Amino acid sequence: MSAQRLSIFSCDNGDASLIEAHGWVIMTDINYRAEARDAKSDALDFAPKVRNACKDDKLDIFVLTHPDEDHLGGFGEIFHLGKPDDRDADPDEGDVLILVDEIWCSEYSANPNYTTDKSKPILDEIKRRKALQGTDAGNRDGNRLKVLTAGSGSKNTLCNGIEWRLLAPNASEGNIPKAKEGEPKNSSNPASLVIQWTVTVRGRKSVFLLAGDTTVDIWERLNREMTAEQLEWDVLLTPHHCSRHSLGKKTVNNGVESFEWSDAAYDGLDHPRSGKSHIVASSRKFGQKHPPHPEARDKYRKMLARGGDVTQAVRDRFKCTAGAQGEKPGDVVFNFTASGMTLAVALAAPTIGTPTTSAAAGGGGYG
């Protein structure tokens, strides 16, 4: 029987997750770094794991939550760009690039306001595929594209045993205006795809919720409009690498800047399905630089406590792909089983950060 698992790869402040279930392989985002191929680097090379999961060097679906560089970096290092027939099946050096049968993205990613050197390759690939929609070629493996806009949050069936639900962005959130000349470019974070995946094994459901760099305003809307079932999770990948800006916002009063937590955004995210649920921060280590933000981590631990005390057992269910202070990074892997979602590979130390670390971290303009 093929693997039935969720892998959340260690890639610094960036996202890269892989679902393998019922014969399907689905990757969401990528932050592949060239230094990962250097044996002296702490950066982990997850490319072999992706390749091993992909039968015949083909990935079923690649989901791009939004076109930030830490969610699409290194795509062309692993995956083929361009016409399927142009893929080199016998390269002189390196491995055959993996063909992505279908790409999912938001309307904003299909019509971005700007590109960078890192984002241009995959955004050009999305543009190429979009031009083929409605044609026979557009239905071929390696050419397919699904542009997503959220509606009611109803479930969709990918296959027997895999369902998915798109929660954001709606049409308004996906419409990010172009910045005026000379002004900073508008962030694509509010247009991040928020997807709830449900994998069923022998009648038991396991639920994974991911959200790119979704902002506090989106979580406040989801809290108003969605049901608890639509927002629930067994594993939550923290938005924006455990930034506090998915749970609150800066305010300025009489020229004095402060930060205000949002109870509504917290409530939108606070839907663990059980006392065995986990939260994963795909980020660097907790410390002086934000994100990840220790105060946000404390909020997420509180969710895991489900109204009780934040004990060591609760802390153990908050994982960080960078590892604890002084430890090496590590992927976080869960199995989809008849008993639900179970942790397959734990990090070396269960505790992420310490009270001393949190106190030293302070505020932070970015976190």
Side-chain angles (χ1 to χ4, degrees):
M1 183 177 180
S2 60
Q4 309 265 34
R5 63 189 169 208
L6 164 68
S7 302
I8 301 174
F9 298 122
S10 176
C11 55
D12 198 64
N13 264 29
D15 283 355
S17 63
L18 192 74
I19 292 174
E20 301 168 70
H22 301 296
W24 286 74
V25 184
I26 305 149
M27 186 164 190
T28 301
D29 291 338
I30 184 171
N31 188 38
Y32 186 72
R33 298 166 289 164
E35 62 265 30
R37 295 190 291 270
D38 184 350
K40 296 179 181 179
S41 172
D42 271 350
L44 300 184
D45 187 358
F46 57 78
K49 295 181 181 179
V50 176
R51 188 173 302 281
N52 288 340
C54 295
K55 184 179 179 181
D56 299 325
D57 294 316
K58 294 178 71 174
L59 177 73
D60 294 302
I61 300 170
F62 180 83
V63 182
L64 176 64
T65 60
H66 67 300
D68 271 7
E69 292 187 350
D70 56 357
H71 292 255
L72 52 71
F75 181 90
E77 297 285 328
I78 300 177
F79 301 111
H80 174 70
L81 294 160
K83 298 177 181 178
D85 292 341
D86 291 344
R87 181 172 63 153
D88 187 349
D90 187 20
D92 292 334
E93 294 183 5
D95 296 306
V96 176
L97 294 176
I98 297 169
L99 186 70
V100 179
D101 286 349
E102 184 166 297
I103 293 176
W104 293 7
C105 70
S106 68
E107 182 63 39
Y108 177 75
S109 292
N111 296 283
N113 289 331
Y114 67 95
T115 61
T116 66
D117 290 343
K118 278 190 176 181
S119 69
K120 192 175 189 306
I122 187 173
L123 294 180
D124 282 351
E125 174 65 10
I126 289 172
K127 183 178 180 181
R128 182 190 72 82
R129 293 181 182 221
K130 187 177 181 183
L132 295 174
Q133 288 188 319
T135 69
D136 289 341
N139 291 322
R140 286 185 57 195
D141 289 352
N143 284 338
R144 292 197 299 277
L145 175 70
K146 189 187 293 290
V147 180
L148 303 174
T149 300
S152 63
S154 58
K155 269 190 177 180
N156 303 277
T157 300
L158 184 65
C159 70
N160 184 23
I162 304 180
E163 298 171 298
W164 61 280
R165 194 194 305 269
L166 180 69
L167 302 172
N170 60 26
S172 175
E173 293 156 353
N175 181 21
I176 297 176
K178 186 175 182 178
K180 294 180 180 178
E181 190 70 28
E183 294 185 355
K185 295 177 175 64
N186 291 326
S187 171
S188 64
N189 289 352
S192 293
L193 297 180
V194 180
I195 300 180
Q196 182 199 60
W197 289 98
T198 302
V199 175
T200 303
V201 175
R202 297 179 186 176
R204 182 64 177 266
K205 296 182 182 297
S206 296
V207 183
F208 172 44
L209 183 64
L210 56 84
D213 288 350
T214 323
T215 58
V216 61
D217 295 335
I218 308 302
W219 290 111
E220 289 173 344
R221 175 184 70 81
L222 293 176
N223 183 57
R224 291 193 305 269
E225 298 180 2
M226 300 295 166
T227 65
E229 181 186 7
Q230 290 172 310
L231 297 170
E232 68 183 3
W233 43 268
D234 291 300
V235 172
L236 169 68
L237 184 59
T238 59
H240 201 186
H241 323 296
C242 203
S243 164
R244 63 177 181 168
H245 289 294
S246 294
L247 290 166
K249 63 189 74 174
K250 289 181 181 178
T251 59
V252 179
N253 293 312
N254 298 322
V256 178
E257 186 179 278
S258 60
F259 188 84
E260 184 176 321
W261 296 98
S262 169
D263 290 340
Y266 179 95
D267 290 344
L269 280 156
D270 184 20
H271 294 284
R273 296 184 73 225
S274 74
K276 297 180 180 179
S277 297
H278 285 76
I279 294 177
V280 181
S282 181
S283 67
R284 63 173 71 94
K285 287 180 170 62
F286 286 83
Q288 296 285 355
K289 195 172 182 180
H290 308 144
H293 202 288
E295 292 180 12
R297 175 196 59 202
D298 293 344
K299 295 280 187 181
Y300 287 118
R301 285 173 169 171
K302 182 181 175 183
M303 292 179 193
L304 291 173
R306 305 178 80 201
D309 294 333
V310 179
T311 62
Q312 185 59 51
V314 169
R315 295 187 185 96
D316 290 351
R317 290 188 283 113
F318 181 96
K319 302 295 181 184
C320 177
T321 55
Q325 295 296 331
E327 295 180 353
K328 291 185 177 181
D331 302 333
V332 181
V333 181
F334 299 90
N335 287 326
F336 301 117
T337 75
S339 299
M341 193 176 283
T342 60
L343 186 67
V345 179
L347 298 175
T351 304
I352 307 300
T354 64
T356 302
T357 301
S358 299
Y366 180 47

